[in-house]
Amino acid sequence: MHVLITGGTGYIGSIAVEIMRTQGFEVSILDDCSTGHADSVPTGLRFVAGSLLVRADIDQALEGVDAVLHFAGKSLVGESVEKPELYQRINVDGTRNLLDAMKSAHVMKMVFSSSAATYGEPKEVPIRESAATLPTNPYGATKLAIDHMITAESKTHHLSAVSLRYFNVAGAHKAERGWLSERHNPETHLIPNVLRSTPNNPVRIFGTDWQTPDGTCIRDYVHVVDLVNAHIKALETLTGTGHEIYNLGSGTGYSVRQVIAAAEKATGQAIPTQDSPRRDGDPAVLVADISRAKQYLQWEPSLGIEEMVADTLQSFQ
Ligand code: UFG
């Protein structure tokens, strides 16, 4: 099967490229490298260094393709609050272009990177796919708008699609040519920031007065390799038409302090920290109910917080 991976030079996309090509998929990449890294592209793959906003780039990338894994997009909550129009243009308008081009090219299968941010502040935890979707920031709103667009496309144009709602993705993957990992600039994610913490630049703990057992936010971390494997399983379910939505997490929550403790165990050293005010837009607790993915994708995460911390640490060395 020939798969187009949009955003294939980014953190998750580049690891998907690597795992899928080693499993025998033919892989093409479409990425403008605005936040990704062209040096992650393995030799021998078709790489269109282009944009979702340029129809000719998408058409070129779709040639001979059977299915699309759509990772490309803007993904920072804070940035989306400052630049909502950028998120609308790249995420929503870009995906509209992609869906139109797929229709013209008769590519009828898609797996989309949606987000737990579509749910907003949950009323019940763990969060099920049937929960209300009331995003609290423009990033989540764009992911939800795309989910709705894909549902419409599956009804009107027979698209067969899955949206995977990621919780907190972490960890790294060792390819033959070296580690593939998070290389965001600036880095906003907790685990890399904890592992880079120094006495002069300690990791900040955003809020210590949340209504949680230790006062810090609780999140559901899932290893990037488990996450990519869920995409491959989702791809296998794409027969007929329709649009299914699955949460991807581990089903277990860890507080910020618990993540720091796991990092201290992995490094054998105390991690310097600085108690700081709450970060805008953060809900107190986000934990996934993953029973739907377990049942219908036959998927289960196999790597825990220890592996996520250890792999991230190794990828930095
Ligand atoms: N945190 C800190 N210090 C830091 C970084 C993060 O205390 O330096 C805290 C945050 O306040 C939060 C937790 O650690 O409570 C996790 O924060 P991340 O920035 O690592 O991840 P988010 O939960 O903010 O967001 C991630 C993705 C989003 C996605 C969301 C869904 O980045 O795209 O998970 O759960 F929408």
Side-chain angles (χ1 to χ4, degrees), residues 86-138:
L86 177 71
Y87 278 66
Q88 173 70 29
R89 193 163 70 246
I90 306 286
N91 291 1
V92 181
D93 300 350
T95 304
R96 181 70 263 159
N97 291 342
L98 176 63
L99 289 168
D100 290 345
M102 286 174 64
K103 190 167 56 189
S104 300
H106 305 291
V107 178
M108 307 305 284
K109 297 180 178 188
M110 174 186 253
V111 179
F112 170 60
S113 304
S114 187
S115 170
T118 53
Y119 297 115
E121 188 79 51
K123 286 212 171 60
E124 270 179 40
V125 177
I127 304 172
R128 301 170 61 157
E129 292 83 351
S130 55
T133 43
L134 296 163
T136 49
N137 53 66

Side-chain angles (χ1 to χ4, degrees), residues 75-77 115-118 137 139-140 166-169 187-194 203-207 210 216-221 256 260 278-279 282-284 286:
S75 64
L76 296 178
V77 169
S115 170
T118 53
N137 53 66
Y139 166 66
Y166 306 169
F167 282 65
N168 288 57
V169 187
E187 186 53 76
T188 60
H189 289 147
L190 178 65
I191 292 178
N193 282 351
V194 165
V203 64
R204 288 180 295 155
I205 299 178
F206 294 136
W210 297 93
T216 66
C217 283
I218 294 175
R219 292 288 180 275
D220 180 334
Y221 296 86
V256 172
I260 292 167
R278 294 181 178 191
R279 189 173 67 175
D282 268 346
L286 285 177

Side-chain angles (χ1 to χ4, degrees), residues 185-240:
N185 186 19
E187 186 53 76
T188 60
H189 289 147
L190 178 65
I191 292 178
N193 282 351
V194 165
L195 292 171
R196 289 200 182 106
S197 180
T198 62
N200 286 337
N201 196 9
V203 64
R204 288 180 295 155
I205 299 178
F206 294 136
T208 53
D209 57 352
W210 297 93
Q211 292 294 309
T212 59
D214 68 14
T216 66
C217 283
I218 294 175
R219 292 288 180 275
D220 180 334
Y221 296 86
V222 58
H223 197 292
V224 62
V225 171
D226 281 327
L227 186 93
V228 168
N229 287 333
H231 288 69
I232 296 169
K233 287 184 176 282
L235 204 50
E236 288 163 2
T237 67
L238 296 181
T239 51

Side-chain angles (χ1 to χ4, degrees), residues 20-138:
M20 294 191 73
R21 79 183 186 108
T22 55
Q23 290 193 12
F25 287 89
E26 188 179 345
V27 174
S28 290
I29 297 172
L30 172 65
D31 200 315
D32 64 5
C33 295
S34 52
T35 50
H37 304 273
D39 63 8
S40 73
V41 177
T43 48
L45 295 192
R46 181 173 67 195
F47 169 38
V48 177
S51 166
L52 289 173
L53 301 179
V54 179
R55 177 63 186 261
D57 292 347
I58 307 175
D59 289 342
Q60 188 192 343
L62 280 172
E63 271 171 36
V65 159
D66 303 300
V68 175
L69 295 195
H70 181 30
F71 294 96
K74 296 283 182 194
S75 64
L76 296 178
V77 169
E79 185 187 51
S80 80
V81 175
E82 284 161 28
K83 302 176 187 170
E85 67 295 334
L86 177 71
Y87 278 66
Q88 173 70 29
R89 193 163 70 246
I90 306 286
N91 291 1
V92 181
D93 300 350
T95 304
R96 181 70 263 159
N97 291 342
L98 176 63
L99 289 168
D100 290 345
M102 286 174 64
K103 190 167 56 189
S104 300
H106 305 291
V107 178
M108 307 305 284
K109 297 180 178 188
M110 174 186 253
V111 179
F112 170 60
S113 304
S114 187
S115 170
T118 53
Y119 297 115
E121 188 79 51
K123 286 212 171 60
E124 270 179 40
V125 177
I127 304 172
R128 301 170 61 157
E129 292 83 351
S130 55
T133 43
L134 296 163
T136 49
N137 53 66

Side-chain angles (χ1 to χ4, degrees), residues 5-18 71:
I5 300 189
T6 74
T9 76
Y11 165 44
I12 303 171
S14 65
I15 293 173
V17 167
E18 184 58 27
F71 294 96

Side-chain angles (χ1 to χ4, degrees), residues 15 18-19 172-181 223 225 311 314-315:
I15 293 173
E18 184 58 27
I19 291 175
H173 175 62
K174 193 173 185 192
E176 269 179 22
R177 59 211 155 87
W179 283 93
L180 296 166
S181 65
H223 197 292
V225 171
D311 290 350
Q314 281 208 51
S315 74

